[in-house]
Each structure stands twice: as structure tokens, then as C-alpha cells.
Amino acid sequence: MSEVQIGKNVNLEKIQARIESHIDTLSTYTATPGRGTTRLTYSQEDLLARQYIKEKMKEAGLTVREDGLGNIFGRLEGSEKDAASVLIGSHFDSVPNGGSYDGPAGVVAGLEVAALFTENGLTPKYPLEVIALIEEEGSRFSGGLMGSRGLVGLLAEEDFKSLKDKDGITTVEAMEKIGLDSSLPKPRNPKTLKAYLELHIEQGPILEEKNIPIGVVEAIVGLTQLEVTVKGKAGHAGTTPMDRRADALVTAAKMIAQFPELAAAEGEGTVVTTGQLQVYPNGANVIPDQTVFSVDIRSGKEEHVQSVIQKVKELADSYHDIGMEITVEQLLYIQPKEMNKEIVSLLREKSNKLGFPSCSINSGAGHDAMVFADYTNTGMLFIPSKNGLSHSPEEWSDSRHIAEAVHILFEAAIELTEAE
Ligand code: GLV
Ligand code: MN
Ligand code: MN
């Protein structure tokens, strides 16, 4: 038994076993059993995961509530009246056919930190809140980071209500279907937030290659998501000569094929991805009259994100004179974000004290932490991802590393909540 203690009762083996049980259970709430986790926001799988998380929050002695977005909060009350809260958590939605750890690892870490508070009989001065956020991935309603953006007031009520999934179902209708109340309050006064801590899997190869269990995140890349709509003209696949076509799919394909070069020319690790493409009317013998595709652009430097947006727009304009109508809509834009320096030092200090090797790391993935960073003192921990894989059924992380991160977060949370 390698039990590490600094005054508090922390049994890493026990925590590790509970983490595995949480992750295994949550991974069964998938619409694609055997083909990874597919848990779209406000789906039946969301409902099952939500019920499990709420039950575990209650078992950890927390008072549970949901907001008008369906974010879940489990609160351990503070001894000081109306004090701001220390939030720990992540998201519990997934990409289509994703893994079991992207998001849930951080929610589960929050649950275990709260359980340690209760087991050690600690009373925080500032409330501790475990938080499970919706729609970070944007897999159902596009854009992403919806739970955190809504929580800090960056998503207007009207905009939230107007969002629809690919079947035309609105956010409000989807919430009602699983018994959620969209009329509950959404934005929260930033004064009620003292800090936000998030554990996440790295989703890349660095920690595994270095054989270091803990990454203390310094900064998160800037990113944007564009939706490009190409309009051409439908026609018969057999009778329309090749030189009389305005084929929306061929034009989209030509554009998309240029993105790798565009990203390489921009340099400094700039990445551009098209992961969604819809073709209309989607008939094998019909020339497509419309295509809609996503463009995800990321870089540690905002100027590169801006420059690629401009180039995508110029590329779109260049097809106008051959009869194509192309519009570019920006669904999400978020600048690169630095984590709070004091939280970074605190997390580093706790890792050192507990004897867990750590290093500084930057995040190429987007996270709810980048939204919270403008509103409260925010920090993140990463743990290694096997073979650097994520957004894949093969995504895997070691529950021992999650347990170690829980221990660090527990010690950090004691300090931030001034618990005794
Ligand atoms: C979330 O996984 C993102 O980086 O888009
Ligand atoms: Mn993700
Ligand atoms: Mn994630």
C-alpha cells in the first residue's frame, strides 16, 4: 500500500477503485454500445448519467440542484454566509463515438474531492461545489462550451432558445423531454465564484512520452468554429453535362482540401479541421445543391486564428464568379487563455508536496476552464492519455493518475475553501 498522507485521511487505492466504478458505470450510458461513448446533451443517456451523478453527489453529502441549462451542482455549504464558491468539475457530454474519460474524469474527480471533504469531516469556510456541465463538445447544438458560457452569462436567453439540433429539436424541447426545467435561472453572478478547478485527460501524447503523471496547465489554445454553407444548383446526375453544373459538394471538397496547406502555411502549430459535412438533398443520382460543413481552427496565438478565418472567407469569395453562393458563419470564438498564476503555483506546490511528478503543459483542446478564466481564478490539471488518443473509443487513462490528481485537488481545495 503506497498511501500518501499530509494530515488527512486519503487512501489512494480506495479512491482509485471508486473512480473506476464511476467511469465504468458512466460509460454504459451511451447510445452506441460497443462503439464508444455517444452521450448527447439532453438525450436519454444524458438523463441516466445525470441521475447517477446526482445520486453520487448526495452520497458525498452534497446538496444538489440543476440550473436552467441542465448543469448540475452539488454543494457543500460554507461556514461563512454568502461566501463565493470553489467549483471543481468538468463536462459529462461526449462527442459521437468518443471515449469514457473526456469530461467524466473531471466530474468524477470533483465527486471524489467532495467525498474526501465529507470523510475527513472538513467544513469549508467558502462553499465547495462539484459541477457537471452540459454540451461542452457542441455535438448536439453546435458551438460548444454551452454549459459554461450559459453559466457565466455569455449565452443570451434568446440565443439559447433558438438553438436546434440536426432534427430541428430546440434546446427547450429537448430539456423538457428529459424532465429538465429551462425556466430555472441560467447565468450566475460571477461574485458567487471564488475559483474553478478542472481535471481533464491530456488528449495528447506529451505526458505519456515524458512518463509524468501530472500536467499543470499554463494556457489553453484560442479557437473558433465556423459553419460554411455552399449553395449551388440541383440537377440530374445523368443528364447534366459536367461543364453546366454548380455542384455544392465539389466546391466544398475543393475548399476543404486546401485547409491542410493553409494551416501549414500559417505555422506555429496552427490546426484546421473539418469534421462535419452535410450534403443536400443527399441522393446518389442528384447533383448536390447545398453543403454545410464545419471548420475548427486553433492556435496558441490569436493572430493565427484570425488570419485563417480571413483566408477561409477569401477562399469562399473566390467561388462566387462560378455561380456558387457561399456564406461563412462564426459559431464560436474564444481567445487563447492563460490559467491563473496563483492557482498554477498552488497546484504545482501541492503536487510537489505529495510527491507526484508534474510538469507545465499547454492545452490544444478547448475546455470549460477557458470560459471560467475570464470570471474567476481558474486552473487545470492534466493526466496522461494512452497513446495520446481522445475523441475515440480507444481513449484510456489510468485511474491511478486520476486518484493522484484528486489528492492534489483535494489539498488545493482545502486551501482555497479555507476548510478545517
Ligand atoms: C473539446 O474537446 C474540444 O477541444 O473541442
Ligand atoms: Mn472533447
Ligand atoms: Mn473535454
Side-chain angles (χ1 to χ4, degrees), residues 305-315:
V305 179
Q306 291 279 4
S307 159
V308 177
I309 294 173
Q310 194 48 38
K311 286 177 184 155
V312 171
K313 287 184 176 162
E314 284 164 14
L315 188 58

Side-chain angles (χ1 to χ4, degrees), residues 11-23:
N11 180 332
L12 283 187
E13 278 74 22
K14 192 168 123 193
I15 296 168
Q16 191 182 345
R18 286 199 306 226
I19 287 167
E20 279 174 19
S21 162
H22 294 318
I23 296 273

Side-chain angles (χ1 to χ4, degrees), residues 76-318:
L76 186 62
E77 201 46 80
S79 57
E80 179 142 314
K81 199 175 174 305
D82 298 329
S85 299
V86 173
L87 268 49
I88 305 187
S90 190
H91 62 99
F92 69 104
D93 63 315
S94 82
V95 294
N97 304 93
S100 307
Y101 295 82
D102 176 3
V107 173
V108 161
L111 285 174
E112 287 306 313
V113 169
L116 284 174
F117 265 70
T118 310
E119 285 164 13
N120 282 281
L122 290 169
T123 306
K125 181 170 165 193
Y126 295 86
L128 176 75
E129 290 188 53
V130 179
I131 174 165
L133 294 156
I134 55 135
E135 192 67 356
E136 187 269 353
E137 303 286 7
S139 299
R140 183 160 187 188
F141 295 104
S142 297
L145 305 169
M146 193 165 101
S148 48
R149 285 191 294 129
L151 189 151
V152 299
L154 283 180
L155 180 63
E157 181 69 14
E158 283 319 302
D159 291 340
F160 172 76
K161 284 186 172 160
S162 70
L163 290 169
K164 289 184 183 154
D165 71 6
K166 66 174 178 26
D167 299 318
I169 300 170
T170 67
T171 44
V172 174
E173 287 162 352
M175 282 183 81
E176 264 167 23
K177 202 152 180 232
I178 61 161
L180 292 172
D181 182 355
S182 63
S183 71
L184 289 169
K186 292 184 182 68
R188 192 171 155 156
N189 186 338
K191 287 197 184 120
T192 68
L193 310 175
K194 184 167 190 280
Y196 174 78
L197 303 177
E198 181 170 357
L199 162 79
H200 206 281
I201 56 168
E202 182 201 328
Q203 311 182 275
I206 295 169
L207 294 174
E208 186 181 58
E209 274 169 17
K210 289 186 168 172
N211 197 19
I212 294 180
I214 300 291
V216 180
V217 178
E218 300 267 349
I220 305 179
V221 284
L223 65 94
T224 191
Q225 277 178 17
L226 309 178
E227 186 176 83
V228 180
T229 303
V230 182
K231 286 191 177 144
K233 198 165 169 28
H236 195 291
T239 58
T240 317
M242 293 309 286
D243 61 352
R244 306 232 194 123
R245 298 181 178 207
D247 185 325
L249 180 54
V250 169
T251 301
K254 284 184 184 164
M255 287 183 72
I256 294 164
Q258 295 193 44
F259 294 160
E261 282 152 47
L262 216 144
E266 200 59 42
E268 294 198 274
T270 304
V271 286
V272 183
T273 308
T274 291
Q276 282 176 332
L277 172 68
Q278 280 112 38
V279 182
Y280 301 96
N282 212 17
N285 57 355
V286 186
I287 299 165
D289 66 347
Q290 185 171 315
T291 51
V292 181
F293 61 91
S294 60
V295 189
D296 178 301
I297 305 163
R298 302 182 187 213
S299 172
K301 290 197 182 149
E302 188 176 15
E303 67 216 55
H304 290 314
V305 179
Q306 291 279 4
S307 159
V308 177
I309 294 173
Q310 194 48 38
K311 286 177 184 155
V312 171
K313 287 184 176 162
E314 284 164 14
L315 188 58
D317 286 344
S318 72

